[in-house]
Amino acid sequence: MSRPEYPNLDIVPVAQRIAPEQRQRILDNPQFGAFFSEHMVTIPWRQGVWQRGSLVPFGPLTLSPATSSLHYGQAVFEGLKAYRHADGRIFAFRPGMNAKRFASSARRLAMPELPSERFLEAMEALVREDRDWIPSAPETSLYIRPLLFATEAALGVRPANEYLLVMFSSPVGAYFPRGMAPVNLWISTEHVRAAPFGTGAAKCAGNYAASLEAQALAKTMGCEQVLYLDAIQRKFVEELGGMNFFMVLRPKGSSGSAPLQELTLVTPDLSSGTLLAGVTRDSILRLAPDLGYRVEERPISVDELQEAAQDGSLCEAFACGTAAVITPIGSLASAKMKVVLNGGKTGAVTQSLRDQLIGIQYGQRPDPYGWMYPIQ
Ligand code: COI
């Protein structure tokens, strides 16, 4: 069935919705990525063009074992969230940025780029149809997962001739099972995530697969996440694989109570092309100066981290991403060192940035940046 508000989509909803009590039981404790809402949007790409898409019941896909993305990894994805505000209105956070990054990830993997209007149309149709799946408890939201992969059944190693976009959603709570508790990072010297001119800046499936062995190793060291170093010198901090990294510095020799304007947030710059340009990272770089902090995008060496931890100028560090929002880092460890940050507790700067970002996302604080995208 076509609807005028969705010029490129057929809308075929489920015949019978889930019972409200059953849905509510899920929304009361959604976890992260464990449950899925009732619909998905699919848009095929064939004969060189994006076809008409459909919103259909969420369910399995039928694929040939020869589906080329299963073999050669032409698969990119995104992650964005929709929020229910206290007055019942619904907003997505900066979906245009995800649409653009989705297209640039696809380009890097020689896949077709979905135009932003089609991305936003699919996202709005999905969120409207599944609006009852947006939880309302603090720190919960509807996580939207767009995925594009090669569907052509062919074993030649070349860009496929057929692709499918699938966009579905999942009601979520905190990404880490311990919620906002600080996480411990393992600085990996044995694994690298991305090399210059590789796919580090693309949100592609292979980058995440490549991170899992290091993550398993980190776990044996008592760490939840891996902090990756640059591939060439193994000297500069890059990112955590699924999250970007920030540190908070106060002037050397200053006491624990340095004024706000003397605190600097530092995050690795994107010039090497090996880091994912996070939407949350970008948002923090814009929010922080308005909260009185200085910001710097520049290389951060492990030596600098270690020295700053020793002389007390490294007061806090945090990880950020759509899923993790802003998660404090309690300690950094490697084969050679271990530093505990801010006594292993959430620092005031991390907390203030988190409160501001979440305040905007949940409509409790003004949004002077125009980031919230209304979904009527
Ligand atoms: C996100 O924050 O959306 C991520 O990509 C992290 C992870 C769930 C893949």
Side-chain angles (χ1 to χ4, degrees), residues 134-188:
I134 309 176
S136 51
E139 311 266 328
T140 62
S141 56
L142 188 70
Y143 184 80
I144 302 157
R145 172 52 62 89
L147 163 73
L148 175 65
F149 64 104
T151 47
E152 187 187 356
L155 296 184
V157 181
R158 55 164 172 75
N161 286 320
E162 287 175 15
Y163 297 85
L164 186 69
L165 167 121
V166 186
M167 195 183 290
F168 61 96
S169 70
S170 171
V172 295
Y175 182 70
F176 289 106
R178 293 192 301 120
M180 213 340 224
V183 291
N184 302 311
L185 301 191
W186 179 252
I187 302 176
S188 180

Side-chain angles (χ1 to χ4, degrees), residues 32 77 79 143 145 175 203 208 242 321-324:
F32 185 88
F77 70 97
Y143 184 80
R145 172 52 62 89
Y175 182 70
K203 204 162 175 68
Y208 294 80
T322 297

Side-chain angles (χ1 to χ4, degrees), residues 25-338:
R25 271 199 297 279
I26 294 171
L27 298 187
D28 286 344
N29 182 21
Q31 306 165 50
F32 185 88
F35 302 97
F36 307 101
S37 68
E38 285 168 285
H39 296 92
M40 62 184 184
V41 172
T42 60
I43 310 178
W45 187 92
R46 247 184 263 117
Q47 282 144 6
V49 282
W50 287 103
Q51 307 287 322
R52 209 172 155 70
S54 346
L55 178 137
V56 291
F58 177 84
L61 303 167
T62 304
L63 297 173
S64 160
T67 299
S68 66
S69 55
L70 299 177
H71 303 258
Y72 307 133
Q74 267 191 305
V76 298
F77 70 97
E78 267 305 321
L80 65 157
K81 284 177 172 171
Y83 302 84
R84 184 187 296 287
H85 288 184
D87 61 7
R89 286 184 305 153
I90 289 162
F91 294 83
F93 184 69
R94 308 189 74 185
M97 283 202 72
N98 297 90
K100 284 201 192 112
R101 192 173 61 185
F102 196 48
S104 73
S105 298
R107 194 181 324 132
R108 177 62 185 85
L109 270 79
M111 299 166 77
E113 298 171 41
L114 183 73
S116 285
E117 316 80 72
R118 297 283 312 259
F119 182 101
L120 295 172
E121 181 188 26
M123 188 274 296
E124 287 187 45
L126 178 67
V127 173
R128 278 197 200 110
E129 203 63 35
D130 281 342
R131 62 188 303 130
D132 292 344
W133 283 91
I134 309 176
S136 51
E139 311 266 328
T140 62
S141 56
L142 188 70
Y143 184 80
I144 302 157
R145 172 52 62 89
L147 163 73
L148 175 65
F149 64 104
T151 47
E152 187 187 356
L155 296 184
V157 181
R158 55 164 172 75
N161 286 320
E162 287 175 15
Y163 297 85
L164 186 69
L165 167 121
V166 186
M167 195 183 290
F168 61 96
S169 70
S170 171
V172 295
Y175 182 70
F176 289 106
R178 293 192 301 120
M180 213 340 224
V183 291
N184 302 311
L185 301 191
W186 179 252
I187 302 176
S188 180
T189 45
E190 290 171 20
H191 295 86
V192 293
R193 177 186 166 271
F197 307 106
T199 58
K203 204 162 175 68
C204 62
N207 289 347
Y208 294 80
S211 75
L212 299 177
E213 190 184 38
Q215 190 174 329
L217 177 74
K219 207 169 162 201
T220 65
M221 303 296 179
C223 295
E224 287 92 343
Q225 287 285 312
V226 177
L227 182 58
Y228 291 96
L229 303 182
D230 74 283
I232 308 296
Q233 302 184 63
R234 308 278 176 93
K235 189 172 164 193
F236 295 99
V237 166
E238 295 214 319
E239 60 158 278
L240 278 68
M243 288 153 236
N244 293 119
F245 175 82
F246 275 83
M247 65 177 180
V248 184
L249 295 178
R250 61 181 160 226
K252 287 189 195 302
S254 71
S255 70
S257 55
L260 279 193
Q261 53 284 13
E262 289 189 9
L263 297 176
T264 307
L265 294 179
V266 192
T267 193
D269 62 287
L270 303 177
S271 61
S272 62
T274 54
L275 279 81
L276 192 79
V279 177
T280 312
R281 173 189 182 280
D282 181 82
S283 307
I284 292 167
L285 288 171
R286 292 181 56 191
L287 283 179
D290 294 342
L291 292 178
Y293 306 118
R294 282 197 289 242
V295 295
E296 286 177 10
E297 292 176 84
R298 61 165 174 80
I300 302 173
S301 71
V302 182
D303 291 346
E304 177 185 2
L305 265 184
Q306 202 168 353
E307 274 167 39
Q310 269 156 9
D311 68 22
S313 53
L314 174 58
C315 39
E316 298 177 30
F318 60 85
C320 65
T322 297
V325 195
I326 293 180
T327 299
I329 294 168
S331 70
L332 295 163
S334 71
K336 293 197 202 126
M337 62 170 243
K338 168 145 188 180

